[in-house]
Amino acid sequence: MVDLLNASLRKVPAWLLYAAAPVPIVALYYLGLTGELGVDPAKRIEHQLGLWSLWLLIAGLAVTPVRRWTGVNLLKFRRAIGVITFFYVAAHLLTWLVLDVQFQNVWADIVKRWYITVGMAAFVLMLPLALTSNNWSVKKLGPVRWRNLHKLVYPVAILGALHFLLLVKGFQLEPILYTLLIAGLLVSRFIPRKAFNLRVSRQS
């Protein structure tokens, strides 16, 4: 069953993810322009883009554990997921800059508000990942150095979860669940595969 699923996935081109990526953003801005997002559409768009960024981060982190535990191979889509994640984080940041604060007191907010400080740190760490998400960079850096560089996604995910935790007021379950999920995906990488009594396909 797993082999059949993997054979089907190999026929799905990764460019389909890039083609579909702008759809939620366009839909969000359309709803905002048509008054469907309430009295503060900028905040709603900003929040939804932040959630999409977190979902995509989790999806990228889940590729290896899913393959390890179930044998389902989504590795061919991981680079596309990473690039799209950066695209959404950038859209989230630009929405905050242009529509929310309108370029006013930006540096003061970054320094004063911890959730913005953490969010900006995550964005800065994502820059080298986005810039090297191409075959030329893999050849230039070499596979080992390239893989080590892209382990920056781990602190990015932690900072993304912390950004959400610091953003909300009071006790809210949603950011806690995302944080626990990210922590679980990261910890799972250090658990020996033999600890799971599952048959894992070795196909790449």
Side-chain angles (χ1 to χ4, degrees):
M1 185 66 179
V2 171
D3 291 339
L4 181 61
L5 178 58
N6 285 336
S8 299
L9 287 170
R10 282 195 290 271
K11 298 176 183 177
V12 179
W15 63 261
L16 285 177
L17 294 183
Y18 293 111
V23 174
I25 296 178
V26 173
L28 275 171
Y29 273 95
Y30 173 78
L31 291 173
L33 289 171
T34 55
E36 299 294 324
L37 296 181
V39 294
D40 195 350
K43 280 289 185 185
R44 288 283 303 277
I45 293 170
E46 184 183 333
H47 179 69
Q48 286 300 313
L49 290 176
L51 282 177
W52 270 97
S53 301
L54 204 54
W55 296 337
L56 287 162
L57 268 173
I58 290 169
L61 286 178
V63 170
T64 295
V66 166
R67 181 174 181 262
R68 191 180 189 199
W69 300 341
T70 70
V72 176
N73 191 346
L74 301 169
L75 286 176
K76 68 177 289 185
F77 303 109
R78 185 162 59 185
R79 187 183 297 184
I81 293 171
V83 172
I84 294 167
T85 302
F86 177 79
F87 176 63
Y88 271 79
V89 171
H92 174 64
L93 174 61
L94 286 172
T95 301
W96 171 70
L97 279 173
V98 178
L99 298 183
D100 190 353
V101 299
Q102 298 177 0
F103 294 103
Q104 297 178 11
N105 301 316
V106 172
W107 180 248
D109 273 355
I110 292 173
V111 173
K112 183 172 67 174
R113 303 180 192 277
W114 276 105
Y115 70 92
I116 299 178
T117 307
V118 169
M120 288 299 298
F123 177 73
V124 170
L125 288 180
M126 289 190 77
L127 285 171
L129 303 183
L131 292 172
T132 58
S133 289
N134 51 74
N135 293 333
W136 181 86
S137 294
V138 176
K139 293 178 181 178
K140 192 71 175 177
L141 294 172
V144 175
R145 283 194 296 172
W146 188 87
R147 281 195 297 269
N148 288 336
L149 174 64
H150 279 251
K151 288 179 181 177
L152 282 174
V153 71
Y154 305 153
V156 165
I158 294 169
L159 289 171
L162 182 59
H163 173 68
F164 197 8
L165 282 169
L166 293 172
L167 173 65
V168 299
K169 296 178 181 178
F171 178 86
Q172 292 192 31
L173 189 58
E174 186 181 19
I176 294 173
L177 290 176
Y178 284 131
T179 302
L180 291 175
L181 180 55
I182 288 171
L185 289 171
L186 293 177
V187 169
S188 71
R189 295 170 180 272
F190 300 98
I191 299 175
R193 182 162 48 180
K194 63 183 180 181
F196 302 93
N197 189 23
L198 293 170
R199 181 181 180 183
V200 180
S201 171
R202 292 183 178 275
Q203 294 182 0
S204 298

